[in-house]
Structures are given as C-alpha cells and as structure tokens.
Amino acid sequence: VSEAKASPTLLLKDIQKHVHAKAMADDRDQKVIHPSEMCKDDWCPRQTFLRIRHYRQDDAERLSSGRSYSFQLQNIFEEGHDVHRKYQGWLAEMGRLYGTWVDKVDGEIRHGHTLSAEDYATGNWRYKEVPLFSEKFLIGGHGDGAVIDLSALIEVKTIGMGTLRFEEPTWLNRFLVETVDGTSIYDLDKAWKELRRPLKSHIKQTNIYGFLAKEMGIPIDRVIFIYEYKANQGVKEYSVKFNQDLIQDLLDKAYDIKKRLDNDSPPPRKPEHTGPEARVCKECPFYKECWDGPQSEAEQDGRDVGAGRRKPKGRSPRRAPGAGRADEAEPRASRSSRRPHRSDGPATDEPVQPTGSVDELPWRSTGRSGGRREGGKRRTRQAQGSRGAGEQD
Ligand code: SF4
C-alpha cells in the first residue's frame, strides 16, 4: 500500500452520485399520503397537502431540484431493504409469502397471490410486496409481506441506537449509564433485552396498513412484527391485533386533506408544534410558503411570527412582497418525502418520531435472543435521574 486516503475521490464519489440520481428519480408515490408521515407526533397535514398539490401540478422536477439528499440516510435505507429481502426470501422458499408477484420472463402479474415454493424456486418471480391504497382517504403504502394462513401482515424492522433514540427517546433514557469518567452512554444491549412490545410508532403505522388492507378485502386481522437487533442479528417476534380506534384521528385528518385537495384549500397551520422556530417547519420544504416574508399566509391569518424569529440555515433570501405565489418557491424535501418508495422492492423502516397515545402493551415477545455487550466500559452505574419527566412507559 503506497498511500491511503480517507477522502472519497476515486470510487465512492461516483457511487454517491449514482445513488443520489436514483433517489431523486424515485418520486412515484408522492401523490398519496404515507402512513409513515401520518404517525409522526409532529405530522403537519398542511405539509402533506402542499407536497401532493405540487406533484399533481407536475412540478416534480422543480421539487426534486430543491430536495436535499443524504448518502448516509440512503445507506441506512438500503440496509433495511436487505433485511426485508432476507425474510421475504425465506417466507417465499416456504411457499407462504402473499402479495404481488411479477414474472420476470413474460411480465405476468399476480396480485393477492401466495406463490408456491416450486414456482419461487424457478427464480422467475419477483416479489412486489403488498401494495395498499385507499382512494377514499388517499393513503398509500406497502406492507413488507403477508401470511394468509396466519391472517397476518408481516413487518420487518431493524432496531438500533438510531431507531430507539428517534422513536422512543424517553423509554431509552432508562438505559443511560454513567462510566467512571463521567460519560453517559446507553446500554443498548439491555434495552434490546427489555424491549417487550413493538415501538408505538410502528403499531400506529401498521394499524394504518391494516385499515387499508381491510378496505381492499385482504383477509388479515393482525400484524406480526419481526424485530432484528442490528448489533448481533438477534430477533424477536410480536403479534398485534389491528385496532382502528388507535388511528381514527389520523384517518379523519387524511380524509380532510383529500377533500381540501379537491377544493384546492390548504389546511391552516393549526398544530401547536408548528411555527417558525419549530423543528418540523425548519426541515419543511414549504417553510417559505408558511413563514418567510411579510406577505406570508401566517401573518395574514394573525399568527405572531415576528418576535425572535430566526432564519433557518440555508434558506433563500426573503421574497419581495407580491413577487409571486407562495407555491412558486423551490421547496426542499422533508425527511419523510425523501423516503425511498417500495414500488421496486422493500423499503426500510424509516425511523419515525415517538407517539404518545399507545400505552405499553402487556404481551411479551414470542422469540428472543441475547444481547452483546460492547467493550470499553470499565465500570458503570445507573445514571441518577435518567428517567425524564413525563416518561410514558
Ligand atoms: S412550514 Fe410548518 S406549518 Fe408550514 S407546511 Fe411545513 S411543517 Fe406545516
């Protein structure tokens, strides 16, 4: 080895460009409401409305030009895809995987079909998961799989530090430990061992899938979660019956968006978690429409956006009053709208934010595997006061 360089100048840069182009071209599902965005605590229906309206106006090219991109995020998604493919492959080899199948040779498509193990063994069939869609609510997505002899949708999730920190940070705080040098770290192996229920956001998301499946006449009444721990590939399984009560408020909001799209009437910025300083707004591709400039609708409808307002990083200069319709600004993509779609294969379990309305469930996992201790801790003690106020579990 004559020289080792850490900068991506030879091959990695080309790979990143390739993956970027693929991600930017993948805009096929942007005209529907995604279950993954609906189950975020800070979901803004107005953002969903504006995104769909842009794409309906065939403005995808301009939307894409303003989209931000993270190779690391795409990399995480691909890891999730690989795990999905693994379990889908095993179920298909068993002749129990239900969904949409496409013959790679002659293009035949079989919807709502459980492929036999013999047919799968020919290598001619590609799995297209379980497409789910409701015209009435304009919600669309894909289940990872379904097993009809168990009346179950299958959801495969990978669990790691990022997922838990993003989705259940308060619960994760139970596992904060302090090293002798005063550093606080998470005992992630212990958290994994004590995870006795699916994450709340996953339950909400899959209840939306269950609702869509029911609308489409797919004979399932539960979801089976397969959780795989990223650190050591340990697995757990949970089975949860669908319960529409958990998502009725979200369905109502989706229905409202659909009606407003028909009337071209954007939802107001009502949720308390929105505002010029709110994280969801700072990351939103439609910030300018809502909060930038004296002519914004925010000010027109009387919201106080002036005091202490800080301009988010990288925003364009303030638009002159009357310089064009709000929608003509170039929006950036939100995290959820950057999510790869599943038309050509399984999507990853993009982390979603914590939900607050699902209580801890009484069941335990039906399978488990031990954790692995990370090295480097000399001596630990439970961090004092690590359970934050308002912890839900
Ligand atoms: S800027 Fe905020 S209020 Fe406006 S659409 Fe985006 S998230 Fe909603």
Short mmCIF file of all heavy atoms in Angstrom, two decimals, residues 315-337:
data_model
loop_
_atom_site.label_atom_id
_atom_site.label_comp_id
_atom_site.label_asym_id
_atom_site.label_seq_id
_atom_site.Cartn_x
_atom_site.Cartn_y
_atom_site.Cartn_z
N ARG A 315 -31.62 29.05 4.00
CA ARG A 315 -32.84 29.49 3.33
C ARG A 315 -32.51 30.58 2.30
O ARG A 315 -31.56 31.34 2.45
CB ARG A 315 -33.83 30.05 4.33
CG ARG A 315 -34.26 29.02 5.34
CD ARG A 315 -35.35 28.16 4.77
NE ARG A 315 -35.68 27.10 5.70
CZ ARG A 315 -36.33 26.02 5.37
NH1 ARG A 315 -36.71 25.82 4.15
NH2 ARG A 315 -36.61 25.10 6.26
N SER A 316 -33.38 30.72 1.32
CA SER A 316 -33.20 31.77 0.34
C SER A 316 -33.55 33.11 0.96
O SER A 316 -34.24 33.17 1.96
CB SER A 316 -34.13 31.51 -0.85
OG SER A 316 -33.92 30.22 -1.34
N PRO A 317 -33.06 34.17 0.34
CA PRO A 317 -33.41 35.49 0.86
C PRO A 317 -34.91 35.68 0.84
O PRO A 317 -35.63 35.07 0.06
CB PRO A 317 -32.73 36.44 -0.15
CG PRO A 317 -31.74 35.61 -0.87
CD PRO A 317 -32.21 34.22 -0.83
N ARG A 318 -35.35 36.57 1.70
CA ARG A 318 -36.79 36.83 1.81
C ARG A 318 -37.34 37.28 0.46
O ARG A 318 -36.78 38.12 -0.22
CB ARG A 318 -37.01 37.91 2.87
CG ARG A 318 -38.44 38.30 3.01
CD ARG A 318 -38.61 39.27 4.13
NE ARG A 318 -38.34 38.64 5.40
CZ ARG A 318 -38.57 39.25 6.56
NH1 ARG A 318 -39.05 40.46 6.59
NH2 ARG A 318 -38.31 38.62 7.69
N ARG A 319 -38.47 36.73 0.11
CA ARG A 319 -39.10 37.08 -1.15
C ARG A 319 -39.78 38.43 -1.02
O ARG A 319 -40.40 38.75 -0.01
CB ARG A 319 -40.14 36.02 -1.50
CG ARG A 319 -40.77 36.21 -2.85
CD ARG A 319 -41.77 35.11 -3.14
NE ARG A 319 -42.81 35.03 -2.13
CZ ARG A 319 -42.89 34.06 -1.23
NH1 ARG A 319 -41.99 33.11 -1.19
NH2 ARG A 319 -43.87 34.06 -0.36
N ALA A 320 -39.65 39.22 -2.06
CA ALA A 320 -40.30 40.53 -2.03
C ALA A 320 -41.80 40.35 -2.06
O ALA A 320 -42.32 39.44 -2.69
CB ALA A 320 -39.86 41.33 -3.25
N PRO A 321 -42.49 41.25 -1.34
CA PRO A 321 -43.95 41.15 -1.34
C PRO A 321 -44.47 41.19 -2.77
O PRO A 321 -44.05 42.00 -3.58
CB PRO A 321 -44.38 42.40 -0.56
CG PRO A 321 -43.20 42.77 0.26
CD PRO A 321 -42.01 42.34 -0.52
N GLY A 322 -45.38 40.27 -3.05
CA GLY A 322 -46.04 40.26 -4.35
C GLY A 322 -45.17 39.70 -5.45
O GLY A 322 -45.48 39.84 -6.63
N ALA A 323 -44.03 39.04 -5.07
CA ALA A 323 -43.13 38.54 -6.10
C ALA A 323 -43.58 37.22 -6.68
O ALA A 323 -42.85 36.57 -7.39
CB ALA A 323 -41.72 38.39 -5.54
N GLY A 324 -44.75 36.79 -6.39
CA GLY A 324 -45.23 35.54 -6.97
C GLY A 324 -45.99 34.75 -5.94
O GLY A 324 -45.94 35.05 -4.75
N ARG A 325 -46.70 33.77 -6.39
CA ARG A 325 -47.45 32.92 -5.48
C ARG A 325 -46.52 32.18 -4.55
O ARG A 325 -45.40 31.84 -4.91
CB ARG A 325 -48.26 31.89 -6.28
CG ARG A 325 -49.52 32.45 -6.87
CD ARG A 325 -50.31 31.32 -7.46
NE ARG A 325 -50.49 30.25 -6.47
CZ ARG A 325 -50.94 29.05 -6.78
NH1 ARG A 325 -51.24 28.76 -8.00
NH2 ARG A 325 -51.10 28.15 -5.85
N ALA A 326 -47.01 31.93 -3.38
CA ALA A 326 -46.19 31.22 -2.40
C ALA A 326 -45.70 29.90 -2.95
O ALA A 326 -44.58 29.49 -2.74
CB ALA A 326 -46.98 31.00 -1.12
N ASP A 327 -46.53 29.22 -3.70
CA ASP A 327 -46.18 27.89 -4.21
C ASP A 327 -45.05 27.92 -5.21
O ASP A 327 -44.53 26.89 -5.59
CB ASP A 327 -47.40 27.24 -4.87
CG ASP A 327 -48.47 26.97 -3.86
OD1 ASP A 327 -48.20 27.13 -2.66
OD2 ASP A 327 -49.56 26.62 -4.27
N GLU A 328 -44.67 29.10 -5.66
CA GLU A 328 -43.65 29.15 -6.69
C GLU A 328 -42.24 29.08 -6.11
O GLU A 328 -41.28 29.01 -6.84
CB GLU A 328 -43.82 30.43 -7.52
CG GLU A 328 -45.08 30.33 -8.39
CD GLU A 328 -45.44 31.66 -9.01
OE1 GLU A 328 -44.74 32.65 -8.75
OE2 GLU A 328 -46.44 31.69 -9.74
N ALA A 329 -42.15 29.11 -4.80
CA ALA A 329 -40.83 28.95 -4.20
C ALA A 329 -40.36 27.52 -4.40
O ALA A 329 -41.14 26.62 -4.58
CB ALA A 329 -40.90 29.26 -2.72
N GLU A 330 -39.03 27.33 -4.36
CA GLU A 330 -38.50 25.98 -4.51
C GLU A 330 -38.44 25.29 -3.17
O GLU A 330 -37.66 25.67 -2.30
CB GLU A 330 -37.09 26.05 -5.09
CG GLU A 330 -37.09 26.14 -6.60
CD GLU A 330 -35.72 25.91 -7.15
OE1 GLU A 330 -34.81 25.57 -6.38
OE2 GLU A 330 -35.55 26.08 -8.35
N PRO A 331 -39.24 24.29 -2.97
CA PRO A 331 -39.23 23.61 -1.68
C PRO A 331 -38.14 22.56 -1.59
O PRO A 331 -37.65 22.06 -2.60
CB PRO A 331 -40.60 22.95 -1.64
CG PRO A 331 -41.02 22.81 -3.05
CD PRO A 331 -40.24 23.77 -3.88
N ARG A 332 -37.75 22.25 -0.36
CA ARG A 332 -36.84 21.14 -0.12
C ARG A 332 -37.66 19.95 0.30
O ARG A 332 -38.79 20.08 0.72
CB ARG A 332 -35.86 21.48 1.02
CG ARG A 332 -34.89 22.56 0.69
CD ARG A 332 -33.93 22.78 1.83
NE ARG A 332 -34.62 23.07 3.06
CZ ARG A 332 -34.51 22.34 4.14
NH1 ARG A 332 -33.78 21.26 4.16
NH2 ARG A 332 -35.16 22.67 5.25
N ALA A 333 -37.07 18.78 0.23
CA ALA A 333 -37.82 17.59 0.62
C ALA A 333 -37.74 17.38 2.11
O ALA A 333 -36.72 17.59 2.73
CB ALA A 333 -37.24 16.37 -0.09
N SER A 334 -38.87 17.00 2.70
CA SER A 334 -38.85 16.62 4.09
C SER A 334 -38.23 15.24 4.22
O SER A 334 -38.06 14.52 3.24
CB SER A 334 -40.28 16.58 4.64
OG SER A 334 -40.98 15.56 4.00
N ARG A 335 -37.90 14.86 5.46
CA ARG A 335 -37.31 13.54 5.68
C ARG A 335 -38.22 12.44 5.17
O ARG A 335 -37.80 11.52 4.50
CB ARG A 335 -37.05 13.35 7.17
CG ARG A 335 -36.30 12.07 7.50
CD ARG A 335 -36.15 11.99 9.00
NE ARG A 335 -35.57 10.72 9.38
CZ ARG A 335 -34.30 10.54 9.64
NH1 ARG A 335 -33.47 11.52 9.52
NH2 ARG A 335 -33.86 9.35 10.01
N SER A 336 -39.53 12.57 5.44
CA SER A 336 -40.43 11.51 5.00
C SER A 336 -40.58 11.49 3.50
O SER A 336 -40.71 10.44 2.90
CB SER A 336 -41.80 11.66 5.67
OG SER A 336 -42.37 12.89 5.33
N SER A 337 -40.56 12.65 2.86
CA SER A 337 -40.73 12.65 1.42
C SER A 337 -39.48 12.18 0.71
O SER A 337 -39.51 11.86 -0.46
CB SER A 337 -41.14 14.03 0.91
OG SER A 337 -40.08 14.93 1.05
#
